Amino acid sequence: MDLGDGIAQPSHSHSKAELVFTTRGLLTCEVAKGLWMVPPECALWIPGGMEHSGRSAGELEAYVLFVDPDLAEDLPTECCTVSVDPLLRELLTAAAQLPPLYDREGADGRLVQTMLDRLRIAPVEHLHLPLPDDARLRTIAQALANDPSDRATIGEWARRVAMSERTLARFILRETGMSFGSWRQQFQIRFALERLAGSASVQSVAFDLGYESVSAFITMFKKALGQPPGKYASCSGRSSFPRTSRNLQ
């Protein structure tokens, strides 16, 4: 499904877990029938063996760490986007500078273990957009991706895809784990993060999404993510994939 423009990384997998920490721009990864959004000061955890692809928006700067299975045993077995606090940020950037064959029994090994300990308790952000299997729901998903400002009610969507409103609501909950309103809101958040990564103003994003006032958009965004949209704004420019990559083993 075509969900936007940007520099893309094709679908791939690897045996090691992957941790992507974004410092600028926005990275969107498709993993396990869903999109995971990674704005600045957030990190995406991808367990080993999972097929995933990536697409950037704005001037992307990120660190990528590959973690051996024996170091990731008690870390999440599912993808998640986590918030990165100042301490975890410093640990991640320091770990990204380690040599490939760092001393696991020395100071470098202790640094990595501390980083993983902080990662285990990092707050999980609500930055997941589930993509359903059902063809009718995929039709709705594509339409919302193309126009996240669409304010059609669930009843109107039910008529468009020839389903009853109750059946459609049940299907959406079953396949996404969300209500229709929450699922649609995730499309709006994704659109907003991409535009903000490209240096669009909060006002223009709010109006493009069909909000009657900027304050209403800010309220929605802050309620969903715990931070105002201005926090996620970054400089525009040509996208590029991660500048630093390290194996932790």
Side-chain angles (χ1 to χ4, degrees), residues 79 97 120 189 201 223:
C79 289
Q97 308 305 319
R120 292 182 183 98
I189 289 171
S201 69
K223 184 176 180 181

Side-chain angles (χ1 to χ4, degrees), residues 107-120:
D108 290 346
R110 292 192 293 274
L111 183 150
V112 170
Q113 287 298 331
T114 302
M115 181 203 73
L116 295 174
D117 286 342
R118 295 298 301 179
L119 180 62
R120 292 182 183 98

Side-chain angles (χ1 to χ4, degrees), residues 6 18 47 52 70 75 77 81 89 93 96 144 172 202 205 246:
E18 183 175 355
H52 57 282
D70 64 328
L75 285 163
T77 57
T81 300
R89 176 191 173 94
T93 54
L144 291 174
I172 291 173
V202 173
V205 174
R246 284 292 184 274

Side-chain angles (χ1 to χ4, degrees), residues 140 143-144 147-161 165 168 172 180-185 188 209-210:
I140 297 174
L144 291 174
D147 181 13
S149 67
D150 191 326
R151 298 288 174 169
T153 66
I154 187 172
E156 291 170 322
W157 279 113
R159 288 190 291 274
R160 292 179 190 179
V161 296
E165 182 175 338
L168 178 56
I172 291 173
F180 171 73
S182 296
W183 188 47
R184 178 171 58 185
Q185 181 175 277
Q188 296 179 348
L209 284 174

Side-chain angles (χ1 to χ4, degrees), residues 116-194:
L116 295 174
D117 286 342
R118 295 298 301 179
L119 180 62
R120 292 182 183 98
I121 62 173
V124 175
E125 297 280 358
H126 300 293
L127 290 166
H128 178 214
L129 173 56
L131 300 178
D133 284 326
D134 183 85
R136 291 163 294 184
L137 299 192
R138 298 282 288 196
T139 297
I140 297 174
Q142 185 64 71
L144 291 174
N146 293 338
D147 181 13
S149 67
D150 191 326
R151 298 288 174 169
T153 66
I154 187 172
E156 291 170 322
W157 279 113
R159 288 190 291 274
R160 292 179 190 179
V161 296
M163 299 174 71
S164 72
E165 182 175 338
R166 180 176 297 180
T167 299
L168 178 56
R170 186 173 67 249
F171 271 44
I172 291 173
L173 183 62
R174 184 188 69 189
E175 296 214 13
T176 71
M178 298 178 177
S179 68
F180 171 73
S182 296
W183 188 47
R184 178 171 58 185
Q185 181 175 277
Q186 291 302 95
F187 285 94
Q188 296 179 348
I189 289 171
R190 176 180 178 270
F191 174 87
L193 289 172
E194 286 191 342

Side-chain angles (χ1 to χ4, degrees), residues 6 30-31 85 102 104 119 133 161 204 209 226 230:
E30 183 167 355
V31 190
D85 64 17
Y102 68 91
R104 289 187 65 170
L119 180 62
D133 284 326
V161 296
S204 67
L209 284 174

